[in-house]
Amino acid sequence: MNLYSSLIVDLSKNPVNKRSIPDANITGSGANVTCGDRVRMYAKTDAQGKILDCSFEGEGCAITMASASLLTEEAKGKLLAEISEWNSLNVFQWLGTELGPGRVKCGLIPLETLQEALKRHSPSAPRPQKRQALSSRARVSRAHAEKQL
Amino acid sequence: MATLIQNRSASSGLVGSRASATKGRGVSVRPVQRTASDRTRGGNVVSPRRKDFPIFQERPELVYLDSAATSLKPKCVIDAVADYYGKYSANVHRGIYRLSEEATAAYEGARKTIQQFIGAKSEKEIIFTRGATEAINLVAQGWGSQYLKSGDEIILTVLEHHSNIVPWQMVAKKKNCVIKYLDVDDRGVLKTDQLSKLLTRRTKIIALTHVSNGIGVINPLKPIIQKAHAIGAKVLVDAAQSTPHSPLDVQYLDCDFLAFSGHKMCGPTGIGVLYAKEKILQEMEPFLGGGDMILEVTKTNSTWNEIPWKFEAGTPPIAEAIGLGAALVYLREIGMSTIRTHEKKLLAHALELLQKIPGVTLYGPCDPEIQAGVLSFGIDGVHPHDIASIFDEDNIAIRAGHHCNMLLMERFGIPATARASFYLYNTETDVEKLAQAVLKVKKIFS
Ligand SMILES: Cc1ncc(COP(=O)(O)O)c(C=O)c1O
């Protein structure tokens, strides 16, 4: 398996939406201490909860940087409620690859950080489907393990 | 840019002679009995030893460069564990039947092997624990709770593994003690000249690692221990990264406590050792209570068993202890000096190859005389985790992260490193594959 597609490498070197949004109404930070990945997510929404702009700042591995770039692109124009529904499968789709148990955390930090921030922003919004994300993660890693046999 | 090598001294640093040890560098040892194999093998590579490790038959393509995390296991150790379960599986110190006597003899025999391996005076000074972590906790909680008082000081170093920091922070909080840290220079070498400033009459213990798991630097224990003893402080040595790789002699070092793990030295997981001077153990209260550690139990009181059993409550990890004994017999047979020499060569080769590659940063002293077979590095513009993932595609196992060394990472101002570490089964070819993989990473991210 070749994890380092040109998409991931390119985005890690030239990330998109890597900037702050000074008038963002949704912000949140997340870190993966073991790896030293750190992201700060920004989103600006209109009154209907539609994302007008989304961005990130931070540092980390290529997977994290690429995932944050792709997430912020995908999020633009979406409703907050839609984003709360996203899970690891969405991230794998954007990245064009599944992530094994060793790297899945890196790929998910941007999304999880953004979802946490949304939850704080509108506690009544549907909660991010943590459990579902976890179980799909487990499914993927099982599929992964089977493939390697 | 690759960090420059600095030739610190002409001393061979070769372990096994008092002359080199008293220079304060190299791994400190008292003259030890060299085995015949030590002499005849001299500096030969130990790579033929690969055949002793069944995992290489299973995965011939494996380049295992993560022995600082845990080592691979030779067949003799796997067999020793299986033999216990298959042939004489019984509890120890209890049964009045032969099977149990056999198990007890094997368990206590492993203790004897360990005593000899580290040069302890008596096997009473060898306590089986779950690993280095539990051994350090035993001292911090057991000895620390008993002897530390409010305002007392504990000295650690920024090189410490979290397992030699957190237990001290826990006891310091409970007992209202102060923790001070000895710093390192930019190459990761302890600033021992600052020790005198840290030591006070309130210093009760120095707990420090022998070899850094993050950057491999070998600390000059002997002078530190002498300074500590001069003001009446105790010294705990975290030998998790040194016992597996070089000769070691606790009586020569004169440390009060020494901790290590079996799984990093060809032994099973779940077994480790605390060595402590007999007098200290006699006076220390037990850490855990339960079966086996008592002489007599009444409704109101209990009396303690003799050492070392006073510190081994409950059914111990019997198979694991026997496996560790087998591992030490195996390592002794090869000779610890031979292993150190082998790893020194591999490190020198790795340094030479990686230093030539532009954009590679090497952390640590970059000097095999004062560095064990552990090499931390970074590649400009590439996160260590990406390095490890790309290595993994070529079946090269390295570690990436902070290596439970967050204080050291903070000191160097980096979040993580990639780390390759060597053991007796590694070869020059492994080192060359390491260098090729670094070039591949650079190419992918170019
Ligand atoms: C220097 C050092 N000390 C302590 C430990 C802890 O060992 P264990 O996890 O086996 O208890 C390690 C293991 O990584 C280590 O490298």
Side-chain angles (χ1 to χ4, degrees):
Chain A
M1 184 202 57
N2 197 348
L3 189 55
Y4 291 86
S5 63
S6 54
L7 172 75
I8 291 177
V9 172
D10 285 349
L11 283 175
S12 79
K13 287 196 291 190
N14 304 300
V16 296
N17 304 319
K18 192 168 179 225
R19 56 186 160 82
S20 74
I21 299 175
D23 57 343
N25 53 337
I26 297 170
T27 57
S29 299
N32 186 346
V33 184
T34 358
C35 325
D37 295 330
R38 243 171 260 281
V39 290
R40 180 158 183 79
M41 306 300 303
Y42 300 89
K44 193 174 133 182
T45 62
D46 65 13
Q48 283 71 46
K50 189 165 127 186
I51 298 199
L52 302 174
D53 193 10
C54 188
S55 72
F56 77 101
E57 287 181 306
E59 60 199 42
C61 63
I63 309 290
T64 303
M65 291 296 105
S67 172
S69 293
L70 293 162
L71 166 66
T72 48
E73 272 303 280
E74 292 288 335
K76 288 181 200 168
K78 299 284 188 322
L79 291 168
L80 295 182
E82 286 176 80
I83 290 173
S84 306
E85 304 269 307
W86 285 344
N87 59 39
S88 52
L89 295 180
N90 299 78
V91 175
F92 297 162
Q93 206 179 0
W94 305 329
L95 288 170
T97 179
E98 286 171 3
L99 298 173
R103 300 306 299 275
V104 70
K105 265 178 107 177
C106 309
L108 289 185
I109 308 176
L111 177 61
E112 286 177 349
T113 304
L114 183 60
Q115 287 177 332
E116 283 295 318
L118 299 188
K119 214 166 38 170
R120 280 195 306 274
H121 171 71
S122 50
S124 57
R127 284 168 56 83
Q129 312 240 322
K130 255 242 158 105
R131 193 171 291 163
Q132 191 193 328
L134 273 177
S135 65
S136 58
R137 222 180 292 173
R139 261 203 311 279
V140 168
S141 53
R142 211 177 310 133
H144 202 74
E146 276 163 15
K147 234 192 274 173
Q148 294 189 331
L149 280 178
Chain B
M1 270 306 296
T3 315
L4 283 178
I5 292 199
Q6 299 209 6
N7 266 328
R8 290 186 48 86
S9 75
S11 126
S12 78
L14 188 80
V15 287
S17 81
R18 189 184 281 274
S20 67
T22 46
K23 283 194 178 135
R25 290 295 180 188
V27 178
S28 314
V29 274
R30 189 168 71 147
V32 286
Q33 291 278 320
R34 282 202 172 196
T35 63
S37 59
D38 247 14
R39 277 191 297 273
T40 51
R41 282 165 197 274
N44 287 353
V45 288
V46 200
S47 47
R49 288 285 162 182
R50 272 172 91 84
K51 69 176 180 342
D52 299 339
F53 293 78
I55 199 165
F56 290 121
Q57 276 123 55
E58 205 62 38
R59 301 165 178 269
E61 72 296 340
L62 174 65
V63 178
Y64 188 74
L65 298 177
D66 196 19
S67 296
T70 195
S71 78
L72 304 176
K73 316 301 171 203
K75 180 142 193 320
C76 59
V77 168
I78 300 168
D79 287 348
V81 172
D83 277 356
Y84 165 73
Y85 286 123
K87 297 182 183 160
Y88 57 99
S89 155
N91 213 327
V92 292
H93 305 144
R94 311 217 174 142
I96 314 295
Y97 47 92
R98 271 164 299 156
L99 211 55
S100 169
E101 284 166 5
E102 210 179 306
T104 305
Y107 178 72
E108 293 302 331
R111 196 190 309 274
K112 182 87 196 158
T113 305
I114 292 162
Q115 175 221 325
Q116 292 165 345
F117 194 87
I118 63 168
K121 243 183 227 159
S122 140
E123 62 255 51
K124 291 183 204 163
E125 299 177 320
I126 306 299
I127 297 164
F128 284 120
T129 65
R130 251 184 337 120
T133 301
E134 187 178 287
I136 296 168
N137 275 276
L138 197 165
V139 178
Q141 298 290 330
W143 180 89
S145 304
Q146 192 175 344
Y147 293 103
L148 291 172
K149 294 191 189 62
S150 178
D152 281 348
E153 295 170 1
I154 298 162
I155 296 180
L156 310 176
T157 83
V158 297
L159 289 169
E160 298 318 306
H161 187 278
H162 295 165
S163 61
N164 199 24
I165 299 174
V166 183
W168 297 110
Q169 290 175 335
M170 288 163 70
V171 70
K173 201 170 250 178
K174 222 161 46 185
K175 296 295 216 157
N176 201 19
C177 300
V178 178
I179 299 180
K180 293 174 167 176
Y181 291 92
L182 186 58
D183 195 13
V184 292
D185 66 19
D186 291 342
R187 301 181 318 136
V189 176
L190 274 187
K191 292 182 179 168
T192 42
D193 53 327
Q194 297 192 356
L195 183 62
S196 308
K197 266 188 265 166
L198 293 184
L199 280 167
T200 72
R201 265 177 310 156
R202 309 234 55 170
T203 309
K204 286 289 144 52
I205 189 163
I206 301 182
L208 84 165
T209 194
H210 194 177
V211 166
S212 155
N213 65 300
I215 52 170
V217 64
I218 301 166
N219 290 330
L221 292 180
K222 186 78 184 170
I224 295 176
I225 292 169
Q226 283 169 339
K227 272 196 185 131
H229 286 171
I231 58 135
K234 299 270 184 280
V235 178
L236 175 141
V237 174
D238 174 356
Q241 296 292 348
S242 62
T243 324
H245 302 280
S246 56
L248 183 130
D249 189 304
V250 290
Q251 287 188 64
Y252 168 68
L253 285 176
D254 197 29
C255 53
D256 302 284
F257 304 99
L258 182 128
F260 60 93
S261 290
H263 69 92
K264 293 186 200 284
M265 51 192 316
C266 297
T269 54
I271 186 79
V273 170
L274 173 69
Y275 157 84
K277 286 181 180 163
E278 180 172 346
K279 181 166 183 295
I280 299 175
L281 290 177
Q282 296 288 12
E283 291 166 6
M284 240 170 93
E285 289 294 315
F287 172 48
L288 299 174
D292 231 26
M293 51 76 68
I294 43 84
L295 273 187
E296 202 174 43
V297 176
T298 67
K299 279 187 179 151
T300 52
N301 201 15
S302 305
T303 50
W304 311 142
N305 199 343
E306 289 168 24
I307 63 167
W309 305 291
K310 180 168 96 177
F311 295 97
E312 292 178 2
T315 299
I318 304 167
E320 289 78 1
I322 293 168
L324 176 56
L328 298 196
V329 168
Y330 172 77
L331 293 174
R332 192 173 60 193
E333 179 88 350
I334 295 166
M336 294 311 291
S337 319
T338 308
I339 293 174
R340 165 73 179 135
T341 306
H342 177 65
E343 292 177 16
K344 229 165 137 176
K345 269 193 188 164
L346 294 179
L347 177 70
H349 193 43
L351 288 170
E352 188 195 320
L353 293 180
L354 295 194
Q355 268 163 346
K356 276 198 264 190
I357 305 176
V360 171
T361 304
L362 303 178
Y363 302 102
C366 297
D367 175 357
E369 297 302 330
I370 55 163
Q371 187 169 351
V374 176
L375 182 55
S376 253
F377 63 97
I379 301 175
D380 285 355
V382 188
H383 192 281
H385 267 220
D386 296 319
I387 301 176
S389 280
I390 292 168
F391 275 43
D392 184 42
E393 289 174 2
D394 291 336
N395 302 302
I396 304 173
I398 60 161
R399 179 83 181 269
H402 55 53
H403 319 294
C404 297
N405 260 166
M406 290 184 87
L407 298 189
L408 185 62
M409 297 296 123
E410 184 192 356
R411 172 64 180 77
F412 285 164
I414 48 176
T417 73
R419 181 190 71 186
S421 51
F422 308 117
Y423 209 4
L424 71 168
Y425 34 71
N426 291 117
T427 62
E428 302 262 323
T429 313
D430 291 345
V431 174
E432 275 142 29
K433 286 184 178 160
L434 165 73
Q436 280 157 16
V438 168
L439 292 172
K440 178 180 166 186
V441 172
K442 284 195 57 180
K443 195 161 156 225
I444 289 176
F445 278 86
S446 66

